[in-house]
Amino acid sequence: MRLSQVVIERLTASRTAGLYPYNMPLERVNRTHVRLNRDILLMASSYDYLSLIGDPRIEQATIEAIRDHGTSTGGVRLLTGSTPAHRALEARLAAQYGTEDCVTFSSGYFANIGAMACWGAPNTLAHVDILSHRSVLDACTLAGSPIRRFRHNSAEDLRRRLARAGDQSGIVFIESLYSMDGDLAEISDIDQVASDAGAPLLVDDAHGLGILDPPRDHHVTAWVGALSKAVPSNGGFVATDAENADRIRHLAGPYIFSAAAVPGAVAAAHTALAVIAEEPWRRERLRSNVRHLVVSLGHGFAFHDTRAPIVPVRYTSDEQTLRAAQSLREAGLFVTPIVSPAVGPNQPRLRICVNTAHRLEDLSRLAEAILKFDRAERIDRHSLSQTA
Ligand code: PMP
């Protein structure tokens, strides 16, 4: 069956069962709560990990950028869309990643496409982690690079595959922090394998930016990322050496054929990066919040690392996952259910995103509601995590 048919059938089934959980009209109430129709719910699936949406300094910078430069650049980066603000953001990101240069885009999705326009080609195999984000896969497809998926986080599997590919050129593309599972890449092992094979290594740091420190010694060729997670804006970037940045500016479709990020988004991102650097307490509190949630849930849940603010809660079927999400909504808690094709078949889950501003009592309430549903459904967490 075609994927589109599977998606439509699932959509129809969830609507018929009254469990459709997507495209909800959510209005922001404050840093941690949203209004859904008449109900106020705790938002526990927002990428606003460091709780910077609504920060007055970021809003002020955005307003000033709109006053000074307007609401649009009036063009694409290559032609009329490169303002001093874009270059300043690029300089800041390059300094953060310790690269010579950086190229920004209007989204993280575009940044991956831009990166692959530089390193991909029909005769270059793209060795990607099996848990890679759709934007990485789409970027490989658009570049014409044949996709080879290696076992999640397995430097050994990657080594075997690179050896099997022999002289055929290849690149390796991983994420720093996997967005569906909340686990961290084994960057140094994978880096070593890629560098032994002479393959460029690209790291999508969309969920790591502001949350993790990039490793000190590495051979990473390019850091790709999004300015839409801990950095509460829109946009994406590729931080790399000057020569490849220049190539990207002349090869990447989203840079040449799609409008530049708007000045307000650029200013918001720039100011947010400064705030994140000045306020390490945000990251520390985020980590203690994650620890609190993990401890409150107790044994049997498959967690990876409390440095990661993403906590997946697995269920046995899509239908059970949708019901779990609904039962949480009824308890005043908003958590997004994720089903295939966003994750592998038989791996449905609720994806909790812990934020800095979550109060411990909110996280306790969330854990209690999850455990209550578990008891009602007699879910055996130990056997579920073994099938993970
Ligand atoms: N890479 C990863 C790993 C992501 O999770 C996402 C978005 N969720 C993107 C890239 C795309 O970022 P954006 O939403 O800014 O286009």
Side-chain angles (χ1 to χ4, degrees):
M1 207 193 293
R2 284 170 62 97
L3 184 59
S4 54
Q5 209 178 329
V6 175
V7 170
I8 297 301
E9 279 186 11
R10 294 223 187 103
L11 169 69
T12 312
S14 67
R15 282 202 171 127
T16 311
L19 291 171
Y20 179 74
Y22 303 118
N23 295 301
M24 298 227 179
L26 301 171
E27 280 173 76
R28 183 181 153 82
V29 173
N30 58 32
R31 285 184 306 167
T32 47
H33 288 75
V34 290
R35 183 177 292 108
L36 173 61
N37 304 319
R38 294 224 194 104
D39 300 325
I40 307 276
L41 310 180
L42 178 78
M43 167 49 80
S45 277
S46 169
Y47 293 145
D48 184 23
Y49 302 125
L50 298 175
S51 298
L52 284 170
I53 295 179
D55 184 281
R57 295 161 292 184
I58 299 173
E59 290 189 349
Q60 188 57 32
T62 309
I63 292 164
E64 282 169 19
I66 292 172
R67 288 216 181 103
D68 293 347
H69 308 291
T71 51
S72 167
T73 65
V76 301
R77 288 298 308 280
L78 186 77
L79 303 176
T80 54
S82 284
T83 69
H86 289 81
R87 291 300 286 145
L89 174 61
E90 290 172 343
R92 169 147 205 140
L93 284 162
Q96 256 183 249
Y97 282 100
T99 55
E100 289 171 350
D101 203 350
C102 177
V103 186
T104 53
F105 295 84
S106 60
S107 79
Y109 191 102
F110 275 174
N112 277 326
I113 291 174
M116 283 305 290
C118 178
W119 284 281
N123 58 0
T124 302
L125 299 179
H127 298 276
V128 304
D129 188 286
I130 192 143
L131 292 189
S132 290
H133 190 255
R134 168 74 176 264
S135 57
V136 171
L137 302 176
D138 286 0
C140 298
T141 305
L142 205 56
S145 272
I147 297 172
R148 299 286 181 270
R149 293 168 170 233
F150 62 92
R151 272 215 328 272
H152 178 52
N153 247 341
S154 171
E156 265 325 295
D157 191 33
L158 176 63
R159 191 185 290 283
R160 271 194 300 273
R161 285 166 183 274
L162 285 167
R164 213 181 301 149
D167 286 343
Q168 173 147 28
S169 69
I171 60 130
V172 178
F173 210 150
I174 61 169
E175 287 171 39
S176 58
L177 195 171
Y178 287 87
S179 63
M180 296 297 171
D181 288 61
D183 65 335
L184 308 188
E186 299 292 344
I187 291 197
S188 30
D189 294 352
I190 289 174
D191 182 25
Q192 192 57 55
V193 170
S195 119
D196 289 350
L201 172 62
L202 277 53
V203 181
D204 181 335
D205 196 31
H207 294 269
L209 176 62
I211 304 296
L212 307 172
D213 292 317
R216 275 169 198 273
D217 300 316
H218 60 76
H219 310 91
V220 174
T221 313
W223 296 92
V224 190
L227 301 165
S228 55
K229 321 286 180 214
V231 172
S233 184
N234 271 134
F237 61 88
V238 183
T240 187
D241 61 276
E243 194 183 321
N244 279 312
D246 193 44
R247 278 162 55 85
I248 290 171
R249 290 192 178 96
H250 298 92
L251 290 174
Y255 190 89
I256 303 168
F257 298 107
S258 184
V262 298
V266 172
H270 200 148
T271 306
L273 289 170
V275 171
I276 292 170
E278 279 158 21
E279 299 185 344
W281 64 265
R282 290 181 181 275
R283 192 156 85 165
E284 282 149 28
R285 186 164 308 161
L286 178 64
R287 286 184 185 166
S288 60
N289 280 353
V290 174
R291 276 194 293 276
H292 181 80
L293 178 68
V294 170
V295 170
S296 308
L297 282 170
H299 295 299
F301 290 80
F303 300 114
H304 298 286
D305 196 309
T306 49
R307 280 174 295 170
I310 298 164
V311 178
V313 178
R314 300 273 305 266
Y315 292 94
T316 50
S317 67
D318 290 0
E319 200 255 354
Q320 188 180 52
T321 312
L322 299 188
R323 278 192 293 107
Q326 190 178 48
S327 87
L328 293 187
R329 284 198 299 277
E330 284 164 6
L333 304 155
F334 191 92
V335 186
T336 325
I338 311 274
V339 297
S340 92
V343 289
N346 310 321
Q347 298 197 343
R349 67 200 61 189
L350 294 181
R351 182 176 55 170
I352 301 171
C353 296
V354 180
N355 293 178
T356 294
H358 283 144
R359 295 176 315 167
L360 297 184
E361 53 266 44
D362 289 333
L363 296 170
S364 302
R365 197 158 64 82
L366 174 59
E368 274 159 31
I370 290 169
L371 294 171
K372 184 173 167 200
F373 184 81
D374 273 20
R375 284 193 297 275
E377 300 267 322
R378 298 177 190 283
I379 293 171
D380 176 1
R381 284 281 153 205
H382 292 279
S383 65
L384 240 186
S385 56
Q386 268 150 29
T387 59

